[in-house]
Amino acid sequence: MEQSTEQTTEILLCLSPVEVANLKEGINFFRNKSTGKDYILYKSKSRLRACKNVCKHQGGLFIKDIEDLAGRSVRCTKHNWKLDVSTMKYINPPESFCQDELVVEMDENNGLLLLELNPPNPWDSEPRSPEELDFGEVQITYLTHACMDLKLGDKRMVFDPWLIGPAFARGWWLLHEPPSDWLERLCQADLIYISHLHSDHLSYPTLKKLAGRRPDIPIYVGNTERPVFWNLNQSGVQLTNINVVPFGIWQQVDKNLRFMILMDGVHPEMDTCIIVEYKGHKILNTVDCTRPNGGRLPTKVALMMSDFAGGASGFPMTFSGGKFTEEWKAQFIKTERKKLLNYKAQLVKNLQPRIYCPFAGYFVESHPSDKYIKETNTKNDPKELNNLIKKNSDVITWTPRPGATLDLGRMLKDPTDSKGIIEPPEGTKIYKDSWDFEPYLEILNAAVGDEIFLHSSWIKEYFTWAGFKDYNLVVRMIETDEDFNPFPGGYDYLVDFLDLSFPKERPQREHPYEEIRTRVDVIRHVVKNGLLWDELYIGFQTRLQRDPDIYHHLFWNHFQIKLPLTPPNWRSFLTCCEQNGPGISQECKTT
């Protein structure tokens, strides 16, 4: 029977009239002693505001921000994110997120209630009791990185196939050697789930191979603000059966199999995760979500998968100047990786899956020019995470190798069954020791000599198309060679985003400043095709300095997520340049 989706009210905290009378102006911290949950209540002359004491980033606890003399902000103990409780907006990163507010109600005795309006967990809609699984009925085979091949009765489902080529321009390469039959496995799938648009999950080189054999294969993605396949037409990949589905709604595949896509609480515009259910047994794959489904997830699932490794950012390895010494970077990376391990271990402890699998972190910066990144961008070891989990729970952990298969029916019945996990045959190549760089570098290099870049007015054309302005930031962009030295004949220019001008010198007014050095082949490929700047930043293709040392969330978020969905009209631009002749091309208007 279908359960009601009517919203319900939950009382999270009750304050007595005496406690209400003793509320101080500004920030008040409370704990519900019976549940152990923490809350923040902000009192001003005009109103009361309240929220859970949980940071939206990775669930950290807020404490008083001693740097805030006005007494309106709190600081997260995990990553120093700051929340202005008077507005419920995060102030670090600036203009980033809003905190979910609780309802504050006074009772008839002048006591106070904190209420949360809760829709029921969507996966509880039409609940199904788990049925016994035959041996071999549900099998999960690891291919590489975030790619899993699931046999679910007589259906096959594949997650996030990245099996050839690089990700993030040329910065990431596969650590593991995929099974030799990976393409056959993809072609045999009944459906493919792609979690988000990052190229280690949405791999156009992989999909091009697949589309050559099965262009009509059903592919499912969530209905994110930034469409997963926004760049499909430009990619040249001929896929004809892409299905965009709403969040939190069961998608029925057959009488035994259904799945549900959920959004990320921190990056709802792009990240998703998935619950797959077969005969009542749930498989939860949180992929790269920072706070999947806002932290509300099903407990005691049969199998849970999540990322674990870290290292998927240009920060801090690509930064220099100020505090960014090699010693500071090394200590920061060590601390962040430890935080991530503890967070994942706590998440697993809270959710209590029967089996946990760390995946989606098996990449390497293998190109010779990225040797420095490879040596400094250390990542978590799955064995270390598994040991943490085993200390605090009875959860079984599985660190897969390419071609390894887990038989869910066997493992649920007897975790000690020697046939529960079948390892790849002895002598199977596990790690890649060579990568075919040239075909992919040739694509990037082709952009360097493109006719667009013969006209300096491409700079105005591109940034006008990008549409970011009215923000007090000046950026210096420098095209470089492999070693981040100025590229001979390359462009070196300033962009003032306050009025979207391109001055010869930095303006006299007070302004924050960033210098971004980027390898010429990558930046021109990105500009030519209107691609997101994650190709530059996550791909380690930049070197950055900033003064002062402030993260400009609005700027980076725009170029990483919010660029226009249609690429720049370079054909019209070149026509305009030809009509106006040399030296007048800067007058061309953006189409």
Side-chain angles (χ1 to χ4, degrees):
M1 181 185 296
E2 185 175 349
Q3 289 191 341
S4 170
T5 58
E6 184 178 348
Q7 193 173 51
T8 59
T9 302
E10 180 182 2
I11 299 174
L12 302 179
L13 182 70
C14 301
L15 297 184
S16 69
V18 174
E19 288 174 314
V20 174
N22 290 330
L23 284 173
K24 63 182 181 181
E25 287 288 313
I27 299 169
N28 299 264
F29 293 96
F30 289 96
R31 169 169 290 183
N32 185 325
K33 294 180 181 179
S34 63
T35 64
K37 302 293 185 180
D38 293 287
Y39 304 92
I40 302 172
L41 198 103
Y42 182 82
K43 180 183 179 183
S44 67
K45 293 180 180 179
S46 57
R47 65 176 300 184
L48 293 169
R49 306 185 80 155
C51 66
K52 293 181 180 179
N53 189 345
V54 178
C55 180
K56 264 201 168 184
H57 184 220
Q58 285 191 355
L61 189 73
F62 286 111
I63 60 174
K64 185 177 180 181
D65 179 15
I66 60 174
E67 296 177 352
D68 175 29
L69 300 180
R72 290 193 294 265
S73 69
V74 291
R75 177 178 63 83
C76 178
T77 54
K78 277 195 173 182
H79 295 97
N80 291 318
W81 283 39
K82 294 185 179 183
L83 171 69
D84 185 339
V85 193
S86 69
T87 63
M88 292 297 170
K89 293 181 180 179
Y90 283 82
I91 53 178
N92 180 27
E95 303 295 330
S96 51
F97 307 108
C98 291
Q99 187 80 340
D100 297 325
E101 287 196 61
L102 302 174
V103 177
V104 181
E105 283 190 1
M106 304 296 293
D107 65 22
E108 57 187 13
N109 299 315
N110 291 321
L112 183 146
L113 303 176
L114 293 191
L115 309 174
E116 184 178 39
L117 303 178
N118 286 322
N121 296 326
W123 52 86
D124 288 336
S125 173
E126 301 180 72
R128 296 176 180 176
S129 300
E131 302 176 31
E132 187 169 345
L133 299 176
D134 293 334
F135 292 171
E137 188 174 3
V138 176
Q139 295 180 322
I140 299 93
T141 301
Y142 171 71
L143 302 186
T144 186
H145 191 58
C147 184
M148 288 284 191
D149 177 12
L150 285 68
K151 176 182 178 295
L152 303 148
D154 60 359
K155 293 289 189 293
R156 300 188 78 95
M157 184 175 190
V158 172
F159 295 155
D160 287 336
W162 172 34
L163 294 145
I164 56 170
F168 299 109
R170 40 175 282 192
W172 293 29
W173 302 82
L174 289 167
L175 176 67
H176 288 149
E177 187 72 50
S180 59
D181 64 345
W182 67 262
L183 184 54
E184 285 69 29
R185 286 178 176 273
L186 291 193
C187 291
Q188 292 168 10
D190 294 284
L191 63 157
I192 292 175
Y193 160 68
I194 294 180
S195 60
H196 63 293
L197 52 76
H198 281 161
S199 48
D200 60 321
H201 301 264
L202 172 64
S203 168
Y204 280 120
T206 303
L207 294 177
K208 186 175 182 179
K209 288 279 189 183
L210 174 61
R213 299 260 295 267
R214 278 198 66 190
D216 61 342
I217 192 166
I219 296 179
Y220 289 83
V221 297
N223 188 21
T224 47
E225 179 184 336
R226 183 85 189 186
V228 174
F229 280 96
W230 69 277
N231 197 36
L232 179 63
N233 292 336
Q234 267 195 288
S235 73
V237 176
Q238 302 296 318
L239 293 170
T240 61
N241 194 358
I242 294 170
N243 303 272
V244 181
V245 301
F247 293 114
I249 303 295
W250 282 120
Q251 307 297 316
Q252 201 72 40
V253 179
D254 61 24
K255 67 176 184 178
N256 295 318
L257 175 62
R258 59 184 181 174
F259 67 91
M260 173 183 294
I261 298 177
L262 302 170
M263 71 170 66
D264 183 31
V266 173
H267 299 291
E269 71 280 352
M270 60 168 286
D271 272 347
T272 74
C273 56
I274 190 170
I275 301 170
V276 177
E277 186 181 83
Y278 178 81
K279 287 188 175 180
H281 298 275
K282 292 182 178 66
I283 296 172
L284 170 65
N285 177 9
T286 64
V287 205
D288 288 357
C289 287
T290 304
R291 194 159 172 76
N293 200 45
R296 296 188 62 157
L297 294 168
T299 60
K300 299 181 180 179
V301 299
L303 172 64
M304 174 184 172
M305 314 174 196
S306 81
D307 67 331
F308 72 98
S313 170
F315 186 86
M317 291 77 61
T318 61
F319 285 70
S320 61
K323 70 184 179 186
F324 294 108
T325 63
E326 294 306 309
E327 293 76 15
W328 187 92
K329 292 179 188 179
Q331 184 57 50
F332 178 88
I333 292 168
K334 181 180 179 181
T335 302
E336 288 301 297
R337 301 298 170 260
K338 186 175 181 180
K339 287 180 181 178
L340 181 60
L341 278 183
N342 289 331
Y343 171 67
K344 293 297 179 181
Q346 186 62 46
L347 184 63
V348 172
K349 180 182 178 181
N350 292 343
L351 296 180
Q352 287 294 302
R354 295 285 300 277
I355 305 165
Y356 171 72
C357 172
F359 82 150
Y362 302 108
F363 71 93
V364 61
E365 304 87 344
S366 60
H367 192 273
S369 64
D370 288 325
K371 181 181 178 182
Y372 165 76
I373 299 294
K374 181 180 179 182
E375 292 174 348
T376 59
N377 188 28
T378 55
K379 305 170 189 68
N380 285 328
D381 185 336
K383 293 179 181 178
E384 190 176 353
L385 174 57
N386 291 343
N387 289 335
L388 264 179
I389 291 170
K390 290 173 183 175
K391 283 182 181 179
N392 299 311
S393 70
D394 296 325
V395 175
I396 301 161
T397 60
W398 174 44
T399 302
R401 300 195 297 167
T405 297
L406 182 145
D407 187 319
L408 194 60
R410 286 183 178 274
M411 291 295 289
L412 294 179
K413 186 171 185 179
D414 179 7
T416 65
D417 188 335
S418 61
K419 295 181 180 179
I421 297 174
I422 304 299
E423 295 292 347
E426 190 172 346
T428 298
K429 187 176 182 180
I430 302 300
Y431 296 101
K432 293 182 74 71
D433 53 19
S434 64
W435 296 263
D436 191 8
F437 299 127
E438 289 308 314
Y440 307 101
L441 267 60
E442 285 176 4
I443 294 171
L444 299 176
N445 287 328
V448 176
D450 197 281
E451 186 181 357
I452 297 164
F453 303 105
L454 298 177
H455 307 273
S456 62
S457 53
W458 72 263
I459 298 169
K460 178 180 179 182
E461 182 79 8
Y462 174 72
F463 284 98
T464 303
W465 164 83
F468 183 75
K469 59 181 178 179
D470 301 323
Y471 186 84
N472 187 27
L473 174 67
V474 176
V475 173
R476 181 183 178 189
M477 302 288 296
I478 305 172
E479 295 183 329
T480 74
D481 60 16
E482 291 289 278
D483 300 317
F484 297 99
N485 298 313
F487 181 71
Y491 288 93
D492 181 342
Y493 56 93
L494 294 169
V495 186
D496 185 346
F497 287 102
L498 188 60
D499 58 1
L500 200 56
S501 61
F502 307 90
K504 298 297 183 183
E505 297 179 349
R506 288 176 60 177
Q508 294 299 311
R509 73 173 193 279
E510 187 174 330
H511 61 272
Y513 173 78
E514 288 203 20
E515 180 181 286
I516 304 175
R517 294 173 175 257
T518 309
R519 287 172 174 153
V520 64
D521 57 338
V522 181
I523 185 62
R524 292 194 181 185
H525 176 74
V526 166
V527 165
K528 177 184 175 181
N529 295 287
L531 302 179
L532 302 174
W533 280 24
D534 277 340
E535 301 293 306
L536 310 175
Y537 183 70
I538 299 181
F540 313 113
Q541 300 303 301
T542 61
R543 294 296 182 267
L544 300 107
Q545 286 185 293
R546 55 194 186 190
D547 180 27
D549 182 21
I550 295 172
Y551 174 49
H552 295 281
H553 172 80
L554 283 182
F555 168 73
W556 282 102
N557 190 56
H558 183 92
F559 282 89
Q560 289 178 302
I561 293 294
K562 297 184 180 297
L563 288 176
L565 295 176
T566 55
N569 191 340
W570 294 118
R571 180 176 298 177
S572 176
F573 167 76
L574 290 174
T575 300
C576 178
C577 292
E578 291 171 3
Q579 290 173 349
N580 286 299
I584 311 176
S585 59
Q586 65 270 21
E587 300 300 326
C588 295
K589 294 182 179 179
T590 300
T591 303

